[in-house]
Amino acid sequence: MAKYTNLDINDKGVATLTLNRPEVHNAFDDVMISELLQALKDVEESEQARVLVLRSAGKNFSAGADLNWMRSMADKNYQENVEDAGELGLLMERLDLLSKPSIALVQGAAFGGAVGLAACCDMVLAQPRSSFCLSEVKIGLIPAVISPYVVRTIGERQSRRYMLTAERFFADEAQKLGLVSDVVDDFEEPLNNLLDALLDNSPQAVTACKELIRNVGSRPINKDVREHTIKAIAEIRVSDEGQEGLSSFLEKRPAAWLNKN
């Protein structure tokens, strides 16, 4: 049974993964990372889950790494630190590559590695006073493991500022940087709107679309990319849901996947 996280998958296919250490502002350690890895594996392998909502209990999304956990790492040798960081790296990778859409709900503070979690999600809703900080250099460290995802999300120029200064910034600035999708006073209505939109769509097409974005997003437009897109549309057209989607559209009837919701 999970100690620091909760995973619930409802009958609509919404998987809600909750960080549940409010007494330490949802700071994560090796135990929480292990639990999150297992939860993401369960969501990935679930036939029922169609969307992931990542949220947290209490006033803050996450303070980043747990201080006691970081203190223990100082006593480990180089190889032990490599192995330890590898688990956090796997967490970021698994969240980033999740085949199902992901939405993070950020309230209060999101510091350090928590910014990485947000950057790995497809969409982020934040409240106006939510704050973000890449605080690692303040304590003599660097945001290494999360850097590929954060730099991709906010760009190299802004990463140079916020990673080097460790300045705290708020939701409106995070939205300008591309880290936050929408700034909202309350999560529930905007979240439900996103969920309704996502669940209306073909599950196979959504998964294929996420893969398409990964494959073309950071590459120059060349022959290989063009050929990839040609094959991608051909594959989805002949898929079961591609055939069903086109048929239902032409026949002016609801698609079969809508009857499953």
Side-chain angles (χ1 to χ4, degrees), residues 224-245:
D224 289 342
V225 168
R226 291 192 295 271
E227 288 184 352
H228 174 79
T229 63
I230 291 166
K231 292 177 181 177
I233 187 60
E235 287 172 0
I236 201 70
R237 281 175 180 169
V238 299
S239 71
D240 291 343
E241 287 188 7
Q243 294 284 302
E244 167 61 15

Side-chain angles (χ1 to χ4, degrees), residues 21-232:
R21 294 187 78 198
E23 68 280 4
V24 291
H25 309 289
N26 298 304
F28 46 81
D29 59 7
D30 53 344
V31 176
M32 180 181 274
I33 290 171
S34 176
E35 290 182 10
L36 289 171
L37 281 168
Q38 183 59 52
L40 291 174
K41 184 175 185 290
D42 291 344
V43 172
E44 183 64 56
E45 295 176 353
S46 170
E47 294 183 0
Q48 183 178 356
R50 291 184 53 191
V51 182
L52 172 69
V53 177
L54 180 64
R55 65 191 313 164
S56 56
K59 295 181 179 180
N60 294 299
F61 180 68
S62 174
D66 182 273
L67 290 175
N68 290 325
W69 179 52
M70 287 196 292
R71 191 175 295 116
S72 72
M73 289 189 286
D75 297 327
K76 295 181 179 180
N77 61 33
Y78 172 79
Q79 186 55 41
E80 289 171 326
N81 268 278
V82 167
E83 293 169 1
D84 195 88
E87 289 297 290
L88 180 61
L90 182 58
L91 171 60
M92 297 297 159
E93 178 185 26
R94 189 166 288 175
L95 179 57
D96 184 60
L97 297 181
L98 190 72
S99 66
K100 298 156 187 185
S102 54
I103 306 168
L105 307 182
V106 178
Q107 82 281 13
F111 277 32
V115 180
L117 292 176
C120 289
C121 286
D122 298 315
M123 289 154 264
V124 177
L125 301 181
Q127 295 175 338
R129 296 303 298 169
S130 298
S131 62
F132 301 81
C133 185
L134 294 154
S135 54
E136 286 83 353
V137 294
K138 282 187 177 293
I139 56 172
L141 302 176
I142 56 176
V145 173
I146 67 172
S147 62
Y149 312 100
V150 175
V151 173
R152 179 190 63 191
T153 301
I154 71 174
E156 183 178 342
R157 169 58 67 185
Q158 298 301 339
S159 295
R160 290 188 182 201
R161 172 173 176 175
Y162 289 107
M163 286 185 179
L164 298 179
T165 64
E167 291 175 274
R168 187 176 182 180
F169 56 99
F170 290 88
D172 58 347
E173 181 65 19
Q175 185 177 32
K176 293 175 185 176
L177 296 175
L179 180 62
V180 165
S181 309
D182 294 287
V183 181
V184 299
D185 292 318
D186 180 76
F187 289 133
E188 296 314 308
E189 183 177 351
L191 173 62
N192 288 333
N193 289 340
L194 285 176
L195 293 175
D196 287 345
L198 290 166
L199 294 172
D200 273 352
N201 300 330
S202 155
Q204 288 182 8
V206 168
T207 293
C209 197
K210 280 199 66 169
E211 183 178 1
L212 175 69
I213 293 166
R214 282 197 300 271
N215 285 327
V216 306
S218 59
R219 296 170 61 186
I221 302 173
N222 55 28
K223 181 180 179 182
D224 289 342
V225 168
R226 291 192 295 271
E227 288 184 352
H228 174 79
T229 63
I230 291 166
K231 292 177 181 177

Side-chain angles (χ1 to χ4, degrees), residues 7-16 46 48-51 195 199:
L7 175 62
D8 175 72
I9 304 176
N10 69 18
D11 56 5
K12 290 185 177 181
V14 179
T16 301
S46 170
Q48 183 178 356
R50 291 184 53 191
V51 182
L195 293 175
L199 294 172

